[in-house]
Every structure is written in structure tokens, then in C-alpha cells.
Amino acid sequence: MVHSAYDSFELLRGCPTKIDAVASYASKLFVGCSDGALRVYAAESDRSSSSPDYLGQAQELRKEGYALERTVNGYSKKSLLAMEVLASRELLLSLSESIAFHRLPNLETFAVITKAKGANVYSWDDRRGYLCFARQKRVCIIRHDGRGFVEVKEFGVPDMVKSMSWCGENICLGIKKEYVILNATSGALSEVFPSGRLAPPLVVPLPSGELLLGKIRSLRVPYPMIQTIVLQNVRRLVQSNNAVIVALDNSVHGLFPVPVGAQIVQLTASGNFEEALALCKLLPPEDASLRAAKEGSIHIRYAHHLFDNGSYEEAMEHFLAAQVDITYVLSMYPSIVLPKTTLLPETDKLVDSDPDAVHLSRGSSGASDDMDPSSASHFGDFDEHSALESKKMSHNTLMALIKYLQKRRYNIIEKATAEGTEEVVLGAVGDNYGHYDSSRGRGNVAINSGAREMAAILDTALLQALLLTGQSSASVELLRGHNYCDLKICEESLQKRHHYSALLELYRSNAMHREALKLLHQLVEESSSGKSEVTHKFKPEDILEYLKPLCGTDPMLVLEFSMIILERCPTQTIELFLSGNIPADMVNSYLKQHAPNMQGRYLELMLAMNESAISGNLQNEMVQIYLSEVLDLHAELSGQNKWDEKAHSPSRKKLLSALEGISGYNPEALLKRLPPDALYEERAVLLGKMNQHELALSLYVHKLHLPDLALCYCDRVYESAAHQPSTTKSGSIYLTLLQIYLNPSKTTKNFEKRITNIVASRSTSIPKVSSASGTKTKGGRGAKKIAAIEVADDLRVSPSGTDSSRSDGDTDEISPEGSSTIMLDEVLDLLSKRWDRINGAQALRLLPRQTNLQNLMPFLGPLLRKSSEANRNLSVIKSLRQSENLQVKDELYKYRKTVVKISGDSMCSLCHKKIGTSVFAVYPNGKTLVHFVCFRDSQSMKAVAKSTTTTLRKW
């Protein structure tokens, strides 16, 4: 026997004849005997009352002895097979040779179902007024319509029906040695289970809608045995309003249901937790608190039972259903180290003060929250076999714990986050209910709320369980998200097990970026040296990835730790600075102080990636760095007498490229650092940046002796002026070079002194070429004269006319030996190569008188051809414009010949009045006439409308 669902009590004994049927009406018992008599029994406590009013007495069977009250002889001609009281209709239904209905309480005959003659069993559905009965192998269904009975359906069955009962819309039948369900609509049969080898099948409906069958088994699969009541020679099982009546040969027993609460206690004590939980659903709704308490207590007991027997996941499901604090569950895991807490599990309340229910608590295990972490991962000293079993059990228990904590985590974290947010809001409005520093790591926050304290316990335990079960990736994912892991405990646990990836995430989630970067740097160094004990190899790129989110919040920390990897990954590090929007001046200043050897490299990459990102100061500093490298090289080679002015080392190439390619540096400052007897090409570039073109060209010609570089310099200046719309396009720079070739003594005189003066004071008396210096001139004859005067002054050419036979070579400025030092070959080469960029008249004035015209053919030939072609083009354009002018005049004459006739009927097209003698206007089509006044007004209106539209568009 599992538990007592019913208490058996003997209601009466010693019936004079054999009992064939039994029924109850209020507190009375109707007993049908084999002699055809109907005996009425009453409770002994009711015999003192002589009132025949049954309804005025108790409406339920009493759990006490019954005595004979009266006997109705001749109630039936044959023995009764079944009998039932229909209380809602005040009728007594009995089955004998047929089915008869008698009125209560006087037992007058109401109706007799003749078709039921020979029936051996029936069942009444009081709610619908349906009656079903069986005779031979047929089942008939009839319906009571208030006045009589109407046949509904009739079905055949495999064998004689021994018992039957309505079950909702269907009928449960006892046939042979089994129970079947008959579909009252279609007649289909469904098997339930066998009734047993000896006892016949008995079916009794219960008020809950369930059926009480002959085995008294639960109808829940797998139909477990609930209770066995030993009674011999049972003839009838009848449902009463509060009990089950069992009729034997000469006695009647009552099966009174045990209260649900008492059954739950029995089932829980015997370990039948599933049945106990099922019975909790039957407790009345008004006892909801009692029901919840009992269910919680049963879930906890059941969970401990399952845990003891190795069903860890199922145990966690019941702990979850019991809604116990996670600290109560974690007390069963001494290997899990928990943070200090003020939350204590109230085990006494949870398990109804049962001292045996918490036999797996943390206290009983000999461990505590303050246990040494070094010993927390061991359960005890076992032999080899026991250690293996313990390890297996530990893994399974921890896996179950992980699933339990993950299911509880969402709600706990949500509450903790809500409390933290509420504190921040209250602090912002001045409600000082506790300070929460959001800039600090969560592990360092002084938790003063239950939800956040519980969240810290949960996440700390979950992380340890994941580590103990080898789920490294899951632990990393936990730490990457929003978590409340205790910093100290988790840090020790991760360091002990060498889970560095998770440790980095722990530091990151607690804003401990310096500690994380130190650890990451150490791991990178160990990985590169091959001494790392971890399987995962860390690379410098991992440091870069960690630094990316910190660029906007802590740029100094980014700079500090980027120095570690700048030499290994310079391009990626510069990209980090750029993508993180770290100010370039800050980066440069930090490099200058901590990594000066990488400063130039940084500026180079910055310039290559984004030229606009480098300010003038940084460009100047980069050029200064290049110049320092070249000066160091010059000093070293000069000391060895190996310096070659025309040789270009890599550092010197970088310097020249920077001097020519960028414009943000200070040329005066650089020029001061150049040695007086070297680096002439650099000096020329700098002088060019200062618009000292004559001195720059003199260096190319007289110091470097590289006319090709001088020509390239002129080309750059000319093309730069050509790309500036505001600058007058001029070939004066080529005339300057021409003058240097023609009068070398003049250009070399006081050369170094002039450069020194420029560096010292930037004197404005030094001549400058108008096209390169950005001088703006306006068109017109006067402007041309001014330009001619300036050019003549700059080139020191006498203002003689073009027809003069005297050239500039004969001026007093040229030394007597100038004709011998003139660089005529270079002059002719320049004129032949750049004839299209040089003013021919001015160039011819500069040439010496003895210049052979045959040598000037490469210059004069294309120049004259171009001039002739220009003249021809101008003539053609002039002719075309004259022709166009004649066509316009002819068309004007044609329109002026148009004749318009004005009559007295001529009307104005605008005001629709007669023209008369008023002044009029004619539209170009020669037909439309309008008053001149109307025409003028219409034009004014159009102008106003156009102005308004324009204003609206601008608005």
C-alpha cells in the first residue's frame, strides 16, 4: 500500500437476507435484499428523531453504525440487481426484471422501462438525464425529457457487460476481465487495462469526474497501485455523496476519503513526491498560500532525494520550482567559493523544520564561505577508484548547477540592474539613498542591496562552475557580457587555472585596463619567446584590439601601451591612432619623449595615410628630424673626407622629398641649420619655398653645376603659377635663369652674403619673380606697361625700344670679361626647350649682340610659327565677327521695313480697348498691337514677379 486514500468503516452488519443492491439518500441507506424487500437503515444518532423528513436531516452518510428503520416488503418480484437515488429528481432508480423509477420519500412508482427487461447493469448521467443499460451483448441509451424517456442509440459489444458508468460523453464498460471505453456517438471501443484474474470488473464514478475501478488504481500512466482494502465477497460498489458504499453478502461498508492534506503528508513521508505534488493541485483555491507552502516543501524534499540518488538535473528542476534562494542550493557545493554575504538561507522554513532535509548543507560538509581557495577544488582524500567516482559525480553535479544558475540568472540580473539604475537616478536628483560609482568596476562596488548581492553570488558561482567543468569559452562569454562576478574570488580562480583569456575579460568588465594590458603584454612576450604554458598564443594584434575601445576614454593609457608594439606593428599602431581620433600632437609629443626613434616613422605614416591630419608644426618637426639625420651623416662623412654633394643617400632622398612635397614647415628655421659648404640642393629647395628663385637657380647652376635641375625648378614654378587662377601666368622664371646664364659674375657676386641676409631679415630688396610671388595684375595697356617696367627693373634691362640695335649684353652691369664666361650653350638649350613659355622680345633683348641667328633657329622658328598662326587665327575671327555683324544689320533692316496699319477698329491685345491715336507698340510678330502704356505696365509686372520669385527661392 502506497498511502491511505480511503478509510474503510463498517456501517451495518447482520442483514437477515443476502444483499443484492444498496443506495443512499441523505443520511439513510436503502438496502435491496434477495427476498424482494427494501430495507431502510438510519444512523444510530438519528434514531432518536421520529421525523420522517429526510431532507431536514443530515445530507451525508455518517461514519458510524446504522440500524434498521423500516422494511418495505414486496418492493420487487425478483432480486434487485442495482439501485440508485437520483437526488436532483427525488427518484429511486432500481434494476430488477426491468428498470423502474419510484418517487421519494414515499416510494410511489413513477415509470417502468419495459425495453430494459433482461438488463443486468445500467448507469445514469444526472447532468444530462441520460440512462444507459446493457442486456445480453447490447448497450442502449435513452434520455429523460422531463415527461418520459426517449431512446437515443443502441450499440453492440463483444461480450456481456458486467459493469458500466458514464465517463463524460463516453461510457466505461467492464467486459470479461478488462475495462473499455465506449464512444457514445460512434460506438468505438478503446481498451483501458485488465481488471485482474479473479475479481470481476467494477466501475464507480467519482464527483471529481474520475472513475473508481475495481483495482482502485490511479488513472495516470502507468496506473500505479494506490491502496488495497481487503473485503471478501464484495457484491456492489456504489458512489455516495461523500463516500463509496461497498455491499457484501450481509453487511455494508463505507469508504470515506482521507483529507487531501493528510494524504499529502503520507505521500511525502513515504517518498512519493510526484503523487504528493499532484494531490496539491486538489487543494481548494482559498488555501493558495497553504498550497504554495506545501508544494515548496515537497519540491525541496524531492530535490534532495533526487540529488542523493544521482539525478542532479531533475533535482535542480525541483529546487527551481521551490523558488529557494540560490544560496540554499550553493550550500550543497563546498567547492564553490562565495563572496561575503548577509543573505542566509532559511532552511528551517523551507523544509517544515525537518532536520534531515538539509543533510547536504555547506556546514555539514565541513567547509564554509571562508574556506581556503587552494583547497576548494578538492572534496577529500580518496583512493584511486573513489577519486574517479568523485570526479565523475562532481562534474555531473556541477553541470546540473550550471543549468540551474543559468535559468535563475535572467531575473536576478534584471533586478540588480534595475536597483543600480534607481540608485543612480536618485543620486542625480539629490536623494542620498546610497552612492553608486558607475566608473568603478562592479567587483569593487560596495553592494548594499539584496538583488545586487544575490547577482554577485550567482555570477561568481556560475563562473567557478564553468571553470571546474572545463567550459573556458562559456566563461569568457559570461565575462564579456554584463556581470556581477566578485573580482577577488574570480581573479584567484582564473589565475590558479591559467585561464588568461577569461581573466582579461574579468579585468575589462571591471574597468581594470592597466592590469589587463600588463597581463596581455606578458602573455605576448611569453608567446613570442615560446615559454608560454597556455595553448592559446597571444599576438601583438591582441593588444591593439584591446586598445581600440580605449582611444576615446583613456588616450594616455593607449599611448603608453602602444609603445610596446609600435616597432613590431607600426602601420597597425598608426591606424589605431588615426581611427581612435587621438590628437596627432599628443601622439607626437609622447613619442618624442618615450620613443624618439619612432617619431619620424610615425609622422611618415601619418603623412602617407592622411596628409591633412598633420599640422604645420608636425610637418616642420618631421622635416627637422630628416634634416638631423642628414646632418649627422654629413658630419660623419666629412670627417672621413667621403662627402659627395651629388650623392643621395636614403635619408637625404627622404629629406628632399619632404622639402619638395610638403609645405607646412618653416624654411627659414631649416635654412639656418644648413652648413655653408654643403647641401646646396636642399638650400635651393628652401630658397624656392621662400620665393628666392634667383638664388635657388644660382645654386643649381654655379654650385651644383646641374642645369637640368635648374630647368626642372623653373618648370615647377611655372606650372605652380599656371594652376593658380589668381596668379598671372608668366615665364619670368625662365628669364631669370637666362640672365644667370648670360651674366654669371653678377649672380655669383656676394652669393653667400645674400643668403645670410635673407635668413637673418628676409629683406624685401631681393628681387622676386612676379609669377611665383603671387603678384596680381589687372588687364589693360597700363598694366602691361607696369609689368614691362618691373621686368626691366628686375632683369636690369635698359628701357630701349625693340628697334634698338643694343642688347642687354652691352650694359655696364656686365664685367668686361663677361663675354668669355657667358654660358651660351645653356642659353640656347633653354630657349629651344622652353620657347613656348618665354617672352621672345624680352629674351632677345637679353642676348648678346654677337649671338649667331643660326643658333637661335630652334627658338625663333617655332616662336614665329606660333605667332603667325595666332595672327591668322585672329584674322579669321575678325572676319567672322564682321560677317556676323553684317547679318545682324541686315536682319535689323528687315524688321524695320515692316508696315503696320492702324485703323479705327484696331484693338490693344492687353486691355482690349481701341488704339485710336495713342502711342502704341508692335510685338516682333508684326501683328500684335498694344498700347505703349499697357506694354510698359506689363513689363513692370513681369519684373516684379521675377524679383519676388527670386527672393522666394533664395529664402
Side-chain angles (χ1 to χ4, degrees):
M1 181 179 71
V2 178
H3 76 287
S4 297
Y6 290 88
D7 285 337
S8 176
F9 186 82
E10 188 178 44
L11 299 177
L12 65 90
R13 68 173 63 180
C15 184
T17 57
K18 196 173 184 180
I19 299 175
D20 292 330
V22 66
S24 68
Y25 178 58
S27 62
K28 308 293 183 179
L29 276 177
F30 291 169
V31 178
C33 300
S34 58
D35 59 357
L38 178 65
R39 290 177 170 83
V40 180
Y41 290 84
E44 294 180 352
S45 60
D46 290 340
R47 293 190 65 189
S48 60
S49 176
S50 59
S51 173
D53 184 7
Y54 298 152
L55 298 179
Q57 301 176 10
Q59 301 297 312
E60 296 180 347
L61 288 178
R62 304 283 183 82
K63 195 176 181 181
E64 58 182 76
Y66 276 69
L68 181 63
E69 184 179 82
R70 67 176 177 140
T71 301
V72 181
N73 293 316
Y75 181 78
S76 64
K77 296 180 180 179
K78 294 184 179 181
S79 61
L80 291 172
L81 300 178
M83 185 168 52
E84 181 178 353
V85 173
L86 310 181
S88 62
R89 290 170 170 77
E90 292 295 318
L91 295 175
L92 176 62
L93 186 156
S94 56
L95 172 61
S96 181
E97 55 183 354
S98 63
I99 295 177
F101 291 87
H102 294 80
R103 294 187 183 276
L104 292 174
N106 299 323
L107 301 176
E108 301 96 341
T109 300
F110 172 73
V112 177
I113 308 301
T114 56
K115 189 174 182 179
K117 189 175 182 179
N120 64 315
V121 67
Y122 76 92
S123 179
W124 169 260
D125 185 355
D126 191 66
R127 179 177 62 85
R128 298 184 300 163
Y130 273 64
L131 174 69
C132 65
F133 58 87
R135 54 186 178 85
Q136 298 179 354
K137 296 182 180 181
R138 307 293 295 178
V139 174
C140 298
I141 303 174
I142 62 176
R143 178 172 56 87
H144 180 239
D145 59 1
R147 293 173 295 178
F149 290 90
V150 180
E151 182 177 352
V152 177
K153 284 190 178 181
E154 184 175 349
F155 301 106
V157 293
D159 206 339
M160 181 176 289
V161 178
K162 297 181 180 180
S163 61
M164 66 191 317
S165 177
W166 283 99
C167 182
E169 304 295 327
N170 302 321
I171 307 171
C172 182
L173 305 177
I175 301 177
K176 294 184 179 179
K177 299 293 184 180
E178 63 181 357
Y179 298 100
V180 296
I181 299 296
L182 173 67
N183 189 309
T185 302
S186 63
L189 294 174
S190 302
E191 294 185 359
V192 181
F193 56 78
S195 63
R197 292 178 295 179
L198 299 178
L202 297 175
V203 183
V204 177
L206 298 177
S208 62
E210 295 180 316
L211 296 178
L212 189 62
L213 305 182
K215 280 191 173 182
I216 314 179
R217 292 177 181 266
S218 168
L219 291 184
R220 287 189 301 274
V221 178
Y223 315 112
M225 177 71 74
I226 299 299
Q227 180 182 3
T228 300
I229 297 176
V230 180
L231 295 174
Q232 295 182 352
N233 301 322
V234 175
R235 297 179 59 82
R236 292 288 185 269
L237 281 176
V238 179
Q239 175 190 358
S240 177
N241 49 9
N242 66 321
V244 175
I245 303 173
V246 183
L248 282 65
D249 287 342
N250 298 99
S251 62
V252 177
H253 288 253
L255 302 181
F256 294 89
V258 176
V260 175
Q263 295 187 52
I264 292 173
V265 173
Q266 293 180 32
L267 289 169
T268 304
S270 61
N272 291 282
F273 303 104
E274 291 288 352
E275 292 292 333
L277 290 171
L279 286 182
C280 286
K281 307 298 182 184
L282 301 179
L283 289 171
E286 57 270 15
D287 295 336
S289 58
L290 175 62
R291 170 180 168 179
K294 283 188 173 294
E295 285 182 337
S297 176
I298 295 170
H299 278 299
I300 293 173
R301 293 174 183 268
Y302 195 13
H304 280 290
H305 172 77
L306 292 170
F307 197 93
D308 291 342
N309 290 276
S311 300
Y312 306 113
E313 292 191 15
E314 294 181 26
M316 293 302 157
E317 289 295 331
H318 286 280
F319 279 129
L320 189 66
Q323 299 182 353
V324 297
D325 286 344
I326 58 173
T327 53
Y328 178 79
V329 178
L330 291 172
S331 65
M332 302 168 62
Y333 290 84
S335 59
I336 302 295
V337 182
L338 301 180
K340 298 293 183 180
T341 175
T342 59
L343 303 176
L344 297 175
E346 299 181 4
T347 56
D348 294 339
K349 295 181 180 179
L350 291 173
V351 295
D352 294 337
S353 304
D354 187 351
D356 298 328
V358 200
H359 58 281
L360 289 176
S361 66
R362 183 181 294 270
S364 64
S365 65
S368 67
D369 289 338
D370 301 326
M371 64 184 297
D372 183 8
S374 64
S375 62
S377 61
H378 302 284
F379 288 106
D381 296 328
F382 306 104
D383 56 23
E384 184 176 355
H385 177 72
S386 299
L388 180 62
E389 292 298 323
S390 175
K391 183 178 181 181
K392 180 179 179 182
M393 182 196 71
S394 175
H395 182 273
N396 293 338
T397 56
L398 289 171
M399 290 299 295
L401 176 65
I402 290 171
K403 294 181 180 180
Y404 167 77
L405 293 176
Q406 288 173 341
K407 291 178 180 178
R408 293 292 306 272
R409 189 172 187 270
Y410 177 79
N411 290 332
I412 293 178
I413 296 297
E414 187 177 32
K415 291 179 182 178
T417 305
E419 285 185 358
T421 304
E422 183 179 0
E423 283 195 3
V424 172
V425 173
L426 291 176
V429 299
D431 243 333
N432 192 13
Y433 290 155
H435 180 66
Y436 179 80
D437 188 359
S438 59
S439 65
R440 298 174 60 193
R442 286 183 292 275
N444 294 328
V445 175
I447 299 174
N448 54 8
S449 74
R452 275 177 286 166
E453 190 170 354
M454 190 65 71
I457 294 173
L458 187 148
D459 279 350
T460 305
L462 179 57
L463 179 64
Q464 294 178 76
L466 291 171
L467 295 176
L468 289 171
T469 54
Q471 301 184 61
S472 302
S473 58
S475 62
V476 172
E477 291 299 320
L478 171 65
L479 292 169
R480 280 180 181 168
H482 186 65
N483 67 86
Y484 288 83
C485 290
D486 183 87
L487 175 62
K488 183 178 180 181
I489 296 175
C490 295
E491 182 182 22
E492 293 178 358
S493 180
L494 292 169
Q495 288 176 344
K496 178 181 177 181
R497 295 172 176 83
H498 306 293
H499 290 294
Y500 296 115
S501 297
L503 183 57
L504 289 171
E505 294 300 331
L506 177 66
Y507 288 149
R508 190 202 302 268
S509 64
N510 286 275
M512 299 174 62
H513 303 300
R514 181 174 297 278
E515 289 76 5
L517 289 167
K518 287 181 179 178
L519 174 62
L520 192 53
H521 177 221
Q522 176 185 348
L523 295 173
V524 170
E525 293 298 327
E526 291 178 356
S527 298
S528 60
S529 63
K531 299 179 181 179
S532 177
E533 299 178 359
V534 296
T535 56
H536 176 72
K537 298 298 181 182
F538 292 88
K539 300 177 293 185
E541 288 78 3
D542 295 330
I543 299 179
L544 286 173
E545 288 298 321
Y546 193 98
L547 291 174
K548 282 181 181 179
L550 302 179
C551 291
T553 58
D554 197 348
M556 293 306 297
L557 184 66
V558 174
L559 290 174
E560 177 183 348
F561 283 91
S562 61
M563 297 300 103
I564 300 171
I565 54 174
L566 184 58
E567 295 185 7
R568 298 185 186 180
C569 309
T571 304
Q572 295 93 321
T573 307
I574 304 304
E575 288 177 353
L576 171 67
F577 297 152
L578 289 174
S579 62
N581 295 323
I582 301 179
D585 292 331
M586 180 187 293
V587 177
N588 180 68
S589 176
Y590 198 90
L591 289 173
K592 189 174 183 179
Q593 183 177 0
H594 297 89
N597 59 325
M598 294 301 298
Q599 185 184 7
R601 177 65 171 157
Y602 163 71
L603 294 173
E604 284 180 12
L605 293 174
M606 283 283 290
L607 186 64
M609 294 178 182
N610 188 1
E611 183 176 355
S612 62
I614 296 189
S615 63
N617 292 334
L618 292 182
Q619 293 182 19
N620 187 70
E621 190 154 358
M622 183 178 71
V623 176
Q624 292 281 5
I625 293 172
Y626 290 164
L627 179 57
S628 298
E629 294 177 0
V630 173
L631 291 175
D632 292 343
L633 179 63
H634 171 262
E636 179 182 353
L637 295 178
S638 297
Q640 302 174 2
N641 294 324
K642 295 182 179 180
W643 175 256
D644 184 2
E645 184 64 30
K646 296 183 179 180
H648 291 77
S649 63
S651 59
R652 194 175 180 191
K653 288 181 180 178
K654 289 195 302 182
L655 175 61
L656 286 170
S657 177
L659 292 175
E660 294 174 356
I662 62 179
S663 58
Y665 57 86
N666 184 1
E668 292 88 348
L670 296 173
L671 199 59
K672 293 178 181 179
R673 298 184 59 191
L674 295 180
D677 58 345
L679 302 179
Y680 295 118
E681 189 172 352
E682 289 82 352
R683 190 187 302 272
V685 175
L686 291 173
L687 289 171
K689 292 291 183 180
M690 299 166 62
N691 290 329
Q692 301 298 324
H693 304 299
E694 182 182 358
L695 292 177
L697 290 172
S698 298
L699 287 174
Y700 284 120
V701 173
H702 299 305
K703 291 294 183 180
L704 295 172
H705 305 289
L706 295 173
D708 292 339
L709 290 181
L711 182 59
C712 292
Y713 179 89
C714 293
D715 291 340
R716 288 197 303 271
V717 174
Y718 180 88
E719 292 169 359
S720 174
H723 286 88
Q724 297 178 6
S726 61
T727 304
T728 303
K729 298 181 180 179
S730 173
S732 300
I733 186 65
Y734 296 101
L735 295 176
T736 303
L737 179 59
L738 189 64
Q739 184 185 25
I740 292 172
Y741 287 152
L742 292 174
N743 199 351
S745 61
K746 171 193 170 185
T747 55
T748 57
K749 186 178 181 181
N750 298 326
F751 184 78
E752 284 76 8
K753 184 177 180 180
R754 292 172 63 189
I755 295 176
T756 304
N757 292 336
I758 290 173
V759 174
S761 61
R762 291 294 307 274
S763 174
T764 58
S765 63
I766 299 176
K768 301 178 183 179
V769 179
S770 60
S771 63
S773 61
T775 303
K776 297 183 180 179
T777 60
K778 298 183 179 179
R781 185 175 301 177
K784 293 182 179 178
K785 290 182 179 179
I786 294 173
I789 292 172
E790 288 180 352
V791 172
D793 181 69
D794 286 345
L795 301 179
R796 301 184 183 274
V797 178
S798 63
S800 59
T802 57
D803 56 344
S804 176
S805 61
R806 188 178 179 214
S807 69
D808 187 66
D810 299 328
T811 60
D812 295 337
E813 297 291 336
I814 304 177
S815 62
E817 64 273 19
S819 58
S820 62
T821 60
I822 195 171
M823 303 173 67
L824 186 59
D825 292 339
E826 286 77 3
V827 170
L828 296 176
D829 184 66
L830 173 62
L831 292 174
S832 62
K833 289 181 178 179
R834 298 293 182 268
W835 61 268
D836 56 335
R837 299 183 177 182
I838 299 176
N839 188 303
Q842 295 180 1
L844 290 175
R845 291 194 199 101
L846 294 175
L847 292 175
R849 183 178 299 175
Q850 65 270 24
T851 303
N852 192 342
L853 290 177
Q854 183 65 32
N855 295 334
L856 295 177
M857 288 301 296
F859 167 66
L860 295 175
L863 183 62
L864 292 175
R865 284 193 296 271
K866 180 180 179 182
S867 177
S868 299
E869 183 178 355
N871 287 332
R872 285 195 301 271
N873 291 339
L874 290 175
S875 298
V876 171
I877 292 173
K878 181 179 180 181
S879 299
L880 290 173
R881 289 185 175 177
Q882 288 177 349
S883 176
E884 183 181 5
N885 187 30
L886 291 174
Q887 290 178 1
V888 171
K889 287 182 178 180
D890 184 62
E891 188 174 359
L892 177 61
Y893 293 152
K894 179 180 177 181
Y895 281 112
R896 284 181 175 178
K897 290 179 180 179
T898 303
V899 178
V900 178
K901 293 182 179 181
I902 305 297
S903 64
D905 297 330
S906 298
M907 304 289 290
C908 174
S909 299
L910 293 176
C911 67
H912 304 291
K913 295 180 180 180
K914 291 184 178 182
I915 297 295
T917 59
S918 301
V919 180
F920 64 90
V922 183
Y923 279 90
N925 59 8
K927 298 179 181 180
T928 305
L929 299 174
V930 294
H931 289 111
F932 180 75
V933 176
C934 296
F935 171 76
R936 185 181 58 191
D937 293 343
S938 66
Q939 294 300 314
S940 300
M941 293 176 63
K942 289 181 180 179
V944 172
K946 182 177 181 182
S947 175
T948 304
T949 304
T950 304
T951 304
L952 290 174
R953 287 177 180 174
K954 288 182 179 179
W955 176 257

